[in-house]
Amino acid sequence: MIDPWNPNTFSFELQRVLTAESQLVFDYHSEARRLMDEHLNSSPYQSLKPNRFSSAYLSFQEHELTPILAQTRIRVWHYARLLEQEVDAMQRRLVPSSLEFLKERLHDLVAMELLTQEEADKVFNESPFHSQRDSGSGRLWTVIVPRHCSDGDVSALLGSWGGESAYFWLSDKSLATKLRSLGLPRILEIEAALTDGLNAFSASNTVMEAWAKKLGVCVVPTGCDLAITNCLGTAKLIRVHTEGQSTFEAVAKAYPEGVSEKIT
């Protein structure tokens, strides 16, 4: 298992191909930075110029690096507000988001008398999944670079039970407040394969940014959202960080070891 943002975790094979093309990775990212600075500081305004190393860089990314990553397992991060029972269930089996799964989870809340049936029906009926099944359903969404719990991209997910499938279009403000009282914020570390769709290619961007940073280029590994679908059955929940635990606040700051210097 590797962290795409941390070259110290890369396999021997990954390090071998990246070492062989280090000059290309350095040249591409150095040129990209130079061109962006030139673009932003141009007066009069100039469009961003093409990177002369793009063709060779993309060829290496597609034909050498991505096939290796497709056979690699990586650590990813999932952010959610969950009840203790839900954490226990995820430790047994990871389930993708779906309208059906939301209905099942709401049924459990009613059974535990945490929501009334009327409240559960309202959350279900106003879920974005009714119109966005193709784009959001059937996936477990993760990120490949850890985010701190205060990051705006994840704070809403940690703040409200059910995530966007439950709160995003919810019109009842008092019910929305109630969802924010259920469960606790959790950051889940998951080990996953990269065989789904374009996941390996997406991860390769972060891998090469991390390698360029290692080579001395001023670049920050940006990461990306990663949707685990077909390989969900082989994904493993490694660790759960819950609000109140020391590691919860440390994620993306002091945990994992060395993360701060490598993603900033």
Side-chain angles (χ1 to χ4, degrees), residues 173-192:
K173 289 191 166 117
S174 65
L175 180 51
T177 299
K178 196 167 186 178
L179 292 184
R180 290 194 290 271
S181 72
L182 300 177
L184 289 171
R186 324 268 184 172
I187 303 174
L188 280 60
E189 287 182 54
I190 297 170
E191 179 187 327

Side-chain angles (χ1 to χ4, degrees), residues 21-161:
E21 295 295 344
S22 283
Q23 190 63 53
L24 173 61
V25 174
F26 179 88
D27 289 343
Y28 173 85
H29 283 283
S30 296
E31 181 73 350
R33 180 173 176 81
R34 185 188 72 78
L35 292 171
M36 182 57 70
D37 287 344
E38 183 180 274
H39 164 66
L40 294 175
N41 296 310
S42 60
S43 181
Y45 171 83
Q46 295 179 19
S47 299
L48 183 63
K49 295 176 183 176
N51 190 322
R52 59 198 172 99
F53 299 103
S54 288
S55 179
Y57 185 87
L58 183 60
S59 178
F60 168 62
Q61 183 179 15
E62 285 186 337
H63 302 299
E64 294 188 58
L65 190 59
T66 296
I68 295 173
L69 286 172
Q71 303 301 316
T72 301
R73 295 179 69 83
I74 71 170
R75 172 162 45 180
V76 294
W77 308 79
H78 178 74
Y79 293 74
R81 191 179 187 97
L82 300 166
L83 302 172
E84 199 65 41
Q85 298 92 317
E86 293 176 313
V87 174
D88 292 342
M90 291 188 76
Q91 288 173 330
R92 293 191 297 271
R93 182 171 68 100
L94 294 170
V95 179
S97 299
S98 68
L99 197 56
E100 294 73 20
F101 187 43
L102 175 62
K103 187 174 185 178
E104 179 184 319
R105 295 177 69 195
L106 287 166
H107 174 79
D108 291 340
L109 292 184
V110 173
M112 289 185 282
E113 299 184 347
L114 296 173
L115 289 181
T116 66
Q117 187 61 57
E118 182 181 1
E119 289 171 330
D121 289 342
K122 184 171 286 190
V123 173
F124 179 80
N125 291 333
E126 294 186 14
S127 171
F129 276 172
H130 287 286
S131 60
Q132 297 177 359
R133 285 196 186 210
D134 291 341
S135 60
S137 186
R139 300 165 173 85
L140 180 67
W141 286 101
T142 67
V143 292
I144 65 174
V145 173
R147 309 283 182 86
H148 188 256
C149 58
S150 63
D151 190 306
D153 289 342
V154 299
S155 58
L157 298 173
L158 295 171
S160 184
W161 178 92

Side-chain angles (χ1 to χ4, degrees), residues 18 178 204 208:
L18 286 164
K178 196 167 186 178
S204 70
M208 291 214 278

